[in-house]
């Protein structure tokens, strides 16, 4: 196959396709160009609005991150203090409970001895 016949077929096919598209298009070329241009003009404000909202969102996220970085050490210190206070409070209660359990065990042992001596 020669290159010239290939290119000739390519040109004829392209021309036929172009003619078919133009004849089957629901709008004239002028109407189609106008429709595309008006759609593009309508999309520009929407795209600008999306850009503005995206920039606002980025600024808000950046502000939130900076605020979190600034507040984190303070919150961590407060949390550490709260845990220390809780540990001290529960330590006192734990000691009281252990003493009370020891007293109960001693009382039970005394009762067992008393019951054992009564049975004999």
């Amino acid at each position: 196959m020669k290159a010239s016949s290939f290119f000739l077929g390519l040109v004829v096919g392209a021309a036929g396709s172009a003619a078919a598209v133009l004849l089957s298009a629901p709008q004239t070329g002028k109407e189609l160009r106008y429709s595309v241009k008006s759609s593009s003009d309508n999309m520009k404000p929407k795209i600008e609005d999306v850009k503005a909202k995206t920039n606002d969102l980025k600024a808000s996220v950046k502000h939130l991150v900076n605020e979190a970085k600034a507040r984190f050490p303070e919150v961590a210190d407060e949390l550490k203090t709260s845990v220390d206070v809780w540990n001290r409070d529960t330590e006192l209660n734990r000691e009281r409970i252990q003493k009370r359990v020891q007293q109960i065990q001693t009382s039970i042992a005394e009762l067992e001895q008393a019951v054992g001596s009564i049975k004999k």
Side-chain angles (χ1 to χ4, degrees):
M1 178 185 225
K2 294 183 182 178
S4 61
S5 62
F6 173 75
F7 286 114
L8 179 62
L10 185 65
V11 170
V12 169
S17 298
V21 167
L22 288 174
L23 293 175
S24 65
Q27 298 174 328
T28 65
K30 186 176 183 178
E31 290 173 341
L32 184 60
R33 284 191 300 274
Y34 176 77
S35 175
V36 168
K37 185 177 182 333
S38 66
S39 293
S40 140
D41 291 342
N42 291 338
M43 291 301 284
K44 285 179 185 178
K46 292 177 184 176
I47 291 171
E48 292 301 321
D49 186 44
V50 168
K51 282 182 184 178
K53 287 181 180 180
T54 302
N55 289 335
D56 289 345
L57 180 62
K58 283 173 31 179
S60 295
V61 168
K62 187 174 182 178
H63 175 71
L64 182 63
V65 166
N66 290 336
E67 190 173 321
K69 283 181 183 179
R71 295 252 320 136
F72 181 76
E74 180 183 330
V75 171
D77 288 342
E78 289 175 5
L79 183 61
K80 192 181 287 186
T81 302
S82 295
V83 169
D84 290 342
V85 167
W86 181 80
N87 279 333
R88 277 184 277 149
D89 290 347
T90 57
E91 181 64 28
L92 293 173
N93 288 333
R94 189 171 56 91
E95 289 174 3
R96 287 185 201 137
I97 290 170
Q98 285 176 342
K99 286 179 184 178
R100 187 67 180 139
V101 167
Q102 184 64 39
Q103 290 172 351
I104 291 170
Q105 287 175 339
T106 303
S107 296
I108 290 174
E110 290 173 358
L111 283 173
E112 286 176 346
Q113 287 179 353
V115 169
S117 65
I118 292 176
K119 285 185 178 179
K120 290 183 183 183

PDB file of all heavy atoms in Angstrom, residues 9 11-15 17 23 32 36 45-47 55 59 67 87 89 102 104 112 120:
ATOM      1  N   GLY A   9      -7.155   8.276   1.461  1.00  0.00           N
ATOM      2  CA  GLY A   9      -8.256   7.648   2.190  1.00  0.00           C
ATOM      3  C   GLY A   9      -8.518   8.356   3.512  1.00  0.00           C
ATOM      4  O   GLY A   9      -9.672   8.536   3.925  1.00  0.00           O
ATOM      5  N   VAL A  11      -7.916  11.560   4.198  1.00  0.00           N
ATOM      6  CA  VAL A  11      -8.536  12.855   3.913  1.00  0.00           C
ATOM      7  C   VAL A  11      -9.990  12.674   3.529  1.00  0.00           C
ATOM      8  O   VAL A  11     -10.867  13.405   4.007  1.00  0.00           O
ATOM      9  CB  VAL A  11      -7.738  13.598   2.815  1.00  0.00           C
ATOM     10  CG1 VAL A  11      -8.499  14.822   2.324  1.00  0.00           C
ATOM     11  CG2 VAL A  11      -6.366  13.988   3.315  1.00  0.00           C
ATOM     12  N   VAL A  12     -10.289  11.701   2.691  1.00  0.00           N
ATOM     13  CA  VAL A  12     -11.678  11.456   2.268  1.00  0.00           C
ATOM     14  C   VAL A  12     -12.521  11.035   3.472  1.00  0.00           C
ATOM     15  O   VAL A  12     -13.654  11.511   3.661  1.00  0.00           O
ATOM     16  CB  VAL A  12     -11.728  10.399   1.143  1.00  0.00           C
ATOM     17  CG1 VAL A  12     -13.162   9.949   0.881  1.00  0.00           C
ATOM     18  CG2 VAL A  12     -11.100  10.925  -0.120  1.00  0.00           C
ATOM     19  N   GLY A  13     -11.978  10.190   4.336  1.00  0.00           N
ATOM     20  CA  GLY A  13     -12.702   9.752   5.528  1.00  0.00           C
ATOM     21  C   GLY A  13     -12.959  10.913   6.486  1.00  0.00           C
ATOM     22  O   GLY A  13     -14.046  11.040   7.053  1.00  0.00           O
ATOM     23  N   ALA A  14     -11.944  11.776   6.679  1.00  0.00           N
ATOM     24  CA  ALA A  14     -12.103  12.930   7.554  1.00  0.00           C
ATOM     25  C   ALA A  14     -13.153  13.884   7.001  1.00  0.00           C
ATOM     26  O   ALA A  14     -13.993  14.412   7.740  1.00  0.00           O
ATOM     27  CB  ALA A  14     -10.776  13.647   7.736  1.00  0.00           C
ATOM     28  N   ALA A  15     -13.128  14.114   5.703  1.00  0.00           N
ATOM     29  CA  ALA A  15     -14.097  15.010   5.080  1.00  0.00           C
ATOM     30  C   ALA A  15     -15.504  14.440   5.198  1.00  0.00           C
ATOM     31  O   ALA A  15     -16.460  15.165   5.503  1.00  0.00           O
ATOM     32  CB  ALA A  15     -13.740  15.250   3.616  1.00  0.00           C
ATOM     33  N   SER A  17     -16.601  12.371   7.477  1.00  0.00           N
ATOM     34  CA  SER A  17     -16.995  12.442   8.889  1.00  0.00           C
ATOM     35  C   SER A  17     -17.410  13.859   9.265  1.00  0.00           C
ATOM     36  O   SER A  17     -18.417  14.059   9.954  1.00  0.00           O
ATOM     37  CB  SER A  17     -15.838  12.014   9.797  1.00  0.00           C
ATOM     38  OG  SER A  17     -15.481  10.683   9.539  1.00  0.00           O
ATOM     39  N   LEU A  23     -24.059  17.860   9.185  1.00  0.00           N
ATOM     40  CA  LEU A  23     -25.430  17.644   8.741  1.00  0.00           C
ATOM     41  C   LEU A  23     -26.323  17.084   9.851  1.00  0.00           C
ATOM     42  O   LEU A  23     -27.541  17.285   9.831  1.00  0.00           O
ATOM     43  CB  LEU A  23     -25.443  16.716   7.529  1.00  0.00           C
ATOM     44  CG  LEU A  23     -24.821  17.315   6.252  1.00  0.00           C
ATOM     45  CD1 LEU A  23     -24.779  16.253   5.143  1.00  0.00           C
ATOM     46  CD2 LEU A  23     -25.618  18.532   5.783  1.00  0.00           C
ATOM     47  N   LEU A  32     -24.155  26.863  17.817  1.00  0.00           N
ATOM     48  CA  LEU A  32     -23.319  26.019  18.660  1.00  0.00           C
ATOM     49  C   LEU A  32     -22.220  26.851  19.328  1.00  0.00           C
ATOM     50  O   LEU A  32     -21.973  26.721  20.526  1.00  0.00           O
ATOM     51  CB  LEU A  32     -22.713  24.874  17.829  1.00  0.00           C
ATOM     52  CG  LEU A  32     -21.891  23.852  18.598  1.00  0.00           C
ATOM     53  CD1 LEU A  32     -22.735  23.172  19.663  1.00  0.00           C
ATOM     54  CD2 LEU A  32     -21.311  22.827  17.644  1.00  0.00           C
ATOM     55  N   VAL A  36     -21.820  27.426  23.362  1.00  0.00           N
ATOM     56  CA  VAL A  36     -20.589  27.104  24.075  1.00  0.00           C
ATOM     57  C   VAL A  36     -20.065  28.339  24.809  1.00  0.00           C
ATOM     58  O   VAL A  36     -19.667  28.279  25.968  1.00  0.00           O
ATOM     59  CB  VAL A  36     -19.523  26.526  23.119  1.00  0.00           C
ATOM     60  CG1 VAL A  36     -18.165  26.452  23.775  1.00  0.00           C
ATOM     61  CG2 VAL A  36     -19.946  25.154  22.621  1.00  0.00           C
ATOM     62  N   PRO A  45     -18.290  32.650  36.702  1.00  0.00           N
ATOM     63  CA  PRO A  45     -18.591  33.086  38.085  1.00  0.00           C
ATOM     64  C   PRO A  45     -18.672  31.913  39.060  1.00  0.00           C
ATOM     65  O   PRO A  45     -18.261  32.026  40.210  1.00  0.00           O
ATOM     66  CB  PRO A  45     -19.936  33.790  37.981  1.00  0.00           C
ATOM     67  CG  PRO A  45     -20.148  34.071  36.541  1.00  0.00           C
ATOM     68  CD  PRO A  45     -19.329  33.089  35.781  1.00  0.00           C
ATOM     69  N   LYS A  46     -19.187  30.796  38.580  1.00  0.00           N
ATOM     70  CA  LYS A  46     -19.286  29.623  39.448  1.00  0.00           C
ATOM     71  C   LYS A  46     -17.895  29.108  39.817  1.00  0.00           C
ATOM     72  O   LYS A  46     -17.648  28.743  40.963  1.00  0.00           O
ATOM     73  CB  LYS A  46     -20.105  28.528  38.768  1.00  0.00           C
ATOM     74  CG  LYS A  46     -21.564  28.895  38.616  1.00  0.00           C
ATOM     75  CD  LYS A  46     -22.335  27.831  37.881  1.00  0.00           C
ATOM     76  CE  LYS A  46     -23.785  28.267  37.664  1.00  0.00           C
ATOM     77  NZ  LYS A  46     -24.555  27.342  36.886  1.00  0.00           N
ATOM     78  N   ILE A  47     -17.009  29.105  38.845  1.00  0.00           N
ATOM     79  CA  ILE A  47     -15.642  28.656  39.106  1.00  0.00           C
ATOM     80  C   ILE A  47     -14.949  29.617  40.067  1.00  0.00           C
ATOM     81  O   ILE A  47     -14.258  29.188  40.995  1.00  0.00           O
ATOM     82  CB  ILE A  47     -14.847  28.507  37.786  1.00  0.00           C
ATOM     83  CG1 ILE A  47     -15.397  27.321  36.989  1.00  0.00           C
ATOM     84  CG2 ILE A  47     -13.366  28.338  38.044  1.00  0.00           C
ATOM     85  CD1 ILE A  47     -14.839  27.204  35.593  1.00  0.00           C
ATOM     86  N   ASN A  55     -10.424  28.839  48.939  1.00  0.00           N
ATOM     87  CA  ASN A  55      -9.434  29.654  49.642  1.00  0.00           C
ATOM     88  C   ASN A  55      -9.877  29.951  51.076  1.00  0.00           C
ATOM     89  O   ASN A  55      -9.059  29.920  51.998  1.00  0.00           O
ATOM     90  CB  ASN A  55      -9.159  30.955  48.881  1.00  0.00           C
ATOM     91  CG  ASN A  55      -8.385  30.717  47.603  1.00  0.00           C
ATOM     92  OD1 ASN A  55      -7.670  29.728  47.476  1.00  0.00           O
ATOM     93  ND2 ASN A  55      -8.530  31.612  46.647  1.00  0.00           N
ATOM     94  N   ALA A  59      -7.927  28.771  54.456  1.00  0.00           N
ATOM     95  CA  ALA A  59      -7.570  29.723  55.511  1.00  0.00           C
ATOM     96  C   ALA A  59      -8.140  29.276  56.859  1.00  0.00           C
ATOM     97  O   ALA A  59      -7.461  29.368  57.883  1.00  0.00           O
ATOM     98  CB  ALA A  59      -8.068  31.114  55.147  1.00  0.00           C
ATOM     99  N   GLU A  67      -4.233  27.324  65.808  1.00  0.00           N
ATOM    100  CA  GLU A  67      -4.845  27.443  67.134  1.00  0.00           C
ATOM    101  C   GLU A  67      -4.671  26.154  67.925  1.00  0.00           C
ATOM    102  O   GLU A  67      -4.383  26.181  69.127  1.00  0.00           O
ATOM    103  CB  GLU A  67      -6.325  27.783  66.992  1.00  0.00           C
ATOM    104  CG  GLU A  67      -6.981  28.147  68.302  1.00  0.00           C
ATOM    105  CD  GLU A  67      -8.401  28.642  68.113  1.00  0.00           C
ATOM    106  OE1 GLU A  67      -8.661  29.370  67.142  1.00  0.00           O
ATOM    107  OE2 GLU A  67      -9.241  28.290  68.949  1.00  0.00           O
ATOM    108  N   ASN A  87      -5.267  10.602  90.583  1.00  0.00           N
ATOM    109  CA  ASN A  87      -4.445   9.544  91.187  1.00  0.00           C
ATOM    110  C   ASN A  87      -4.310   9.748  92.694  1.00  0.00           C
ATOM    111  O   ASN A  87      -4.393   8.787  93.462  1.00  0.00           O
ATOM    112  CB  ASN A  87      -3.060   9.503  90.543  1.00  0.00           C
ATOM    113  CG  ASN A  87      -3.076   8.761  89.222  1.00  0.00           C
ATOM    114  OD1 ASN A  87      -3.905   7.886  89.012  1.00  0.00           O
ATOM    115  ND2 ASN A  87      -2.166   9.106  88.336  1.00  0.00           N
ATOM    116  N   ASP A  89      -6.395  11.406  94.699  1.00  0.00           N
ATOM    117  CA  ASP A  89      -7.701  11.156  95.321  1.00  0.00           C
ATOM    118  C   ASP A  89      -8.004   9.667  95.404  1.00  0.00           C
ATOM    119  O   ASP A  89      -8.492   9.174  96.423  1.00  0.00           O
ATOM    120  CB  ASP A  89      -8.811  11.866  94.548  1.00  0.00           C
ATOM    121  CG  ASP A  89      -8.761  13.375  94.700  1.00  0.00           C
ATOM    122  OD1 ASP A  89      -8.031  13.862  95.593  1.00  0.00           O
ATOM    123  OD2 ASP A  89      -9.447  14.073  93.916  1.00  0.00           O
ATOM    124  N   GLN A 102      -9.114  -5.043 105.487  1.00  0.00           N
ATOM    125  CA  GLN A 102      -8.301  -5.690 106.517  1.00  0.00           C
ATOM    126  C   GLN A 102      -9.090  -5.823 107.819  1.00  0.00           C
ATOM    127  O   GLN A 102      -9.048  -6.857 108.482  1.00  0.00           O
ATOM    128  CB  GLN A 102      -7.002  -4.899 106.748  1.00  0.00           C
ATOM    129  CG  GLN A 102      -6.056  -5.544 107.728  1.00  0.00           C
ATOM    130  CD  GLN A 102      -5.549  -6.888 107.237  1.00  0.00           C
ATOM    131  OE1 GLN A 102      -5.277  -7.070 106.060  1.00  0.00           O
ATOM    132  NE2 GLN A 102      -5.455  -7.846 108.145  1.00  0.00           N
ATOM    133  N   ILE A 104     -12.353  -5.982 108.079  1.00  0.00           N
ATOM    134  CA  ILE A 104     -13.398  -6.990 107.860  1.00  0.00           C
ATOM    135  C   ILE A 104     -12.796  -8.389 107.958  1.00  0.00           C
ATOM    136  O   ILE A 104     -13.379  -9.290 108.589  1.00  0.00           O
ATOM    137  CB  ILE A 104     -14.102  -6.775 106.511  1.00  0.00           C
ATOM    138  CG1 ILE A 104     -14.929  -5.492 106.559  1.00  0.00           C
ATOM    139  CG2 ILE A 104     -14.976  -7.962 106.144  1.00  0.00           C
ATOM    140  CD1 ILE A 104     -15.483  -5.060 105.220  1.00  0.00           C
ATOM    141  N   GLU A 112     -14.820 -16.443 113.429  1.00  0.00           N
ATOM    142  CA  GLU A 112     -14.561 -17.878 113.221  1.00  0.00           C
ATOM    143  C   GLU A 112     -13.984 -18.496 114.489  1.00  0.00           C
ATOM    144  O   GLU A 112     -14.336 -19.616 114.868  1.00  0.00           O
ATOM    145  CB  GLU A 112     -13.611 -18.076 112.035  1.00  0.00           C
ATOM    146  CG  GLU A 112     -14.257 -17.844 110.696  1.00  0.00           C
ATOM    147  CD  GLU A 112     -13.264 -17.941 109.534  1.00  0.00           C
ATOM    148  OE1 GLU A 112     -12.040 -17.926 109.750  1.00  0.00           O
ATOM    149  OE2 GLU A 112     -13.746 -18.031 108.385  1.00  0.00           O
ATOM    150  N   LYS A 120     -16.910 -26.176 120.705  1.00  0.00           N
ATOM    151  CA  LYS A 120     -16.121 -27.147 121.472  1.00  0.00           C
ATOM    152  C   LYS A 120     -16.621 -27.264 122.825  1.00  0.00           C
ATOM    153  O   LYS A 120     -17.177 -27.321 123.638  1.00  0.00           O
ATOM    154  CB  LYS A 120     -14.660 -26.728 121.509  1.00  0.00           C
ATOM    155  CG  LYS A 120     -14.017 -26.869 120.172  1.00  0.00           C
ATOM    156  CD  LYS A 120     -12.563 -26.504 120.291  1.00  0.00           C
ATOM    157  CE  LYS A 120     -11.889 -26.567 118.949  1.00  0.00           C
ATOM    158  NZ  LYS A 120     -10.540 -26.312 118.964  1.00  0.00           N
TER     159      LYS A 120
END
